[in-house]
Amino acid sequence: MALTNSQYQSILGDYDRIRDNNRFTLETRKQQVFQAVPEYRELEDSVSTESVSAARAVLEGELEARERLRRSLDKIRQRQKQLLEAAGFPEDYLEPIYNCPLCRDTGYVTTSDSRKQKCTCFRRREISVLYSQSHIQDMVARENFSTLSTEYYQGQDLQHFESAVNLCHEFVKNFKKDFSNILFYGTVGTGKSFLSGCIARELMDAGYSVIYFGASGFFDLLARYSFDYKEKAALQELCEDIYSCDLLIIDDLGTEITNSFAASQLFSCLNERSLRKKSMIISTNLKLEEIRDRYSDRIFSRLTGSFALCRLTGPDIRIIKKRIQNSSTTAS
């Protein structure tokens, strides 16, 4: 899904503001050091003077001018370092400031074959813009480990939920080093989407790219781009995002209109992300046998063979909360 020109310019504008803010911070630090350590400023001014003198000497044919300048600058930098330390400033206090050292806040990095490509920080911004319609930001603000509660579970339902929570923590803990997937399945309103949100929040906070879709919206979007020949390039970008993001979440699988198109797209997604070792989380209210009957054998095989199966049971927590809320309203 391609950025519009205004979205692209908005992201570039963010980088401009970041660089401006960092330059301002660095200049403020310089003035602070210059005021506290006058000798540091004198040395800084001498760098320009010596560089100009060396340039003239090179033009006049002095072969050793460059090496002499290098030795002189090394001495100046060493002295400045000593002055900073003596005045109580960190050694790197006047080094350039970057929010992203990889691209130096430009949004782009140069590959080994000298090509320019989007930095990971740019891709995170791009994904945030492109998939804002999925409301994942709002979702993870409500559904995260800090708001997790077991008060609505009892007995075996509680055991299932606690096991699921442990699985989620392990998934997050080992996300960088282990490729794994989770299939949450079970009855309606038992916490499947909630736990997906908990994982999403932890990984997003750690800087990973997470894309969230409701199943019906996921397949509708793919169909809209697939059947419009004008959107061929946009479809390729959409698929690349779906296949390459760090974590893809598909919520409520089975709520979509299940047909040959949806089944083929789901298999392509499962297959491609498996090849790329990119993790997925799928939640569904379907039973395992219903998944087998609704989708192809190869999809069922992928889901049961490549995903950790996590079953949640119990009453619909949404209904319980609604009843409690209505009771409180009536009582007041």
Side-chain angles (χ1 to χ4, degrees):
M1 192 190 309
L3 289 170
T4 65
N5 185 60
S6 61
Q7 289 171 331
Y8 179 76
Q9 293 301 326
S10 176
I11 291 177
L12 292 184
D14 287 341
Y15 281 110
D16 287 339
R17 285 186 287 275
I18 289 171
R19 291 195 299 272
D20 287 343
N21 288 338
N22 286 339
R23 279 194 291 264
F24 178 78
T25 299
L26 183 59
E27 185 58 33
T28 301
R29 288 181 178 183
K30 279 187 178 180
Q31 296 307 317
Q32 183 183 5
V33 170
F34 290 166
Q35 185 173 1
V37 190
E39 185 184 345
Y40 191 100
R41 181 166 203 160
E42 293 171 6
L43 290 170
E44 193 73 10
D45 292 338
S46 71
V47 170
S48 298
T49 302
E50 298 224 10
S51 297
V52 170
S53 297
R56 287 196 186 119
V58 168
L59 291 174
E60 292 171 359
E62 285 193 43
L63 299 178
E64 295 183 358
R66 293 181 189 276
E67 179 60 23
R68 189 167 62 247
L69 174 64
R70 186 192 64 77
R71 291 195 300 269
S72 178
L73 292 181
D74 284 345
K75 288 182 180 179
I76 290 173
R77 295 308 180 201
Q78 187 61 36
R79 177 56 182 161
Q80 286 180 319
K81 190 176 180 181
Q82 293 171 351
L83 290 171
L84 278 178
E85 188 176 339
F89 293 102
E91 183 179 314
D92 62 349
Y93 195 61
L94 297 183
E95 293 295 319
I97 303 169
Y98 302 115
N99 287 22
C100 178
L102 290 176
C103 67
R104 298 189 174 187
D105 300 331
T106 64
Y108 284 83
V109 294
T110 303
T111 64
S112 57
D113 55 355
S114 301
R115 291 184 300 107
K116 291 281 188 180
Q117 70 177 26
K118 292 174 183 175
C119 182
T120 53
C121 66
F122 191 106
R123 293 292 296 127
R124 285 196 296 270
R125 291 170 182 272
E126 188 175 36
I127 287 172
S128 178
V129 171
L130 290 176
Y131 297 96
S132 59
Q133 73 269 21
S134 70
H135 306 300
I136 191 171
Q137 300 287 352
D138 295 335
M139 181 184 77
V140 298
R142 303 186 308 271
E143 300 174 356
N144 54 74
F145 285 123
S146 67
T147 61
L148 185 148
S149 172
T150 60
E151 64 177 305
Y152 301 105
Y153 300 90
Q154 295 180 359
Q156 193 174 51
D157 299 336
L158 177 60
Q159 293 176 12
H160 288 162
F161 185 73
E162 289 177 335
S163 295
V165 172
N166 290 334
L167 174 65
C168 292
H169 282 302
E170 287 299 310
F171 183 87
V172 171
K173 178 182 176 182
N174 299 317
F175 188 78
K176 185 176 181 179
K177 59 183 180 180
D178 290 340
F179 164 63
S180 59
N181 307 294
I182 299 176
L183 174 66
F184 291 118
Y185 72 102
T187 49
V188 176
T190 49
K192 299 182 294 294
S193 298
F194 180 90
L195 292 176
S196 297
C198 289
I199 292 174
R201 171 66 177 269
E202 294 295 310
L203 295 181
M204 289 170 67
D205 286 350
Y208 293 103
S209 57
V210 179
I211 295 178
Y212 167 91
F213 278 111
S216 58
F218 177 70
F219 293 109
D220 285 349
L221 185 63
L222 284 171
R224 188 161 70 246
Y225 281 95
S226 297
F227 299 126
D228 187 343
Y229 74 94
K230 296 179 182 178
E231 298 292 352
K232 184 176 181 180
L235 174 63
Q236 291 176 339
E237 292 194 15
L238 170 64
C239 289
E240 182 58 29
D241 289 340
I242 289 171
Y243 296 155
S244 65
C245 65
D246 295 318
L247 175 65
L248 175 66
I249 300 174
I250 300 178
D251 197 22
D252 277 339
L253 185 69
T255 57
E256 78 284 356
I257 298 175
T258 307
N259 50 33
S260 59
F261 173 80
S264 66
Q265 292 298 317
L266 178 57
F267 180 77
S268 294
C269 184
L270 292 169
N271 186 59
E272 188 63 33
R273 288 190 64 84
S274 177
L275 291 173
R276 300 188 186 199
K277 301 298 182 184
K278 295 292 186 178
S279 295
M280 291 182 67
I281 295 177
I282 295 177
S283 69
T284 181
N285 296 327
L286 299 174
K287 299 176 182 177
L288 290 181
E289 55 267 28
E290 291 174 325
I291 296 176
R292 182 190 59 214
D293 294 341
R294 181 176 294 216
Y295 302 98
S296 65
D297 288 339
R298 60 181 185 169
I299 288 177
F300 182 72
S301 176
R302 286 295 173 95
L303 290 175
T304 55
S306 304
F307 283 64
L309 304 181
C310 186
R311 180 169 172 258
L312 292 169
T313 59
D316 189 334
I317 293 173
R318 299 186 191 96
I319 293 178
I320 295 175
K321 288 183 176 180
K322 188 67 175 178
R323 286 174 180 168
I324 293 173
Q325 183 181 3
N326 290 339
S327 299
S328 300
T329 303
T330 302
S332 60

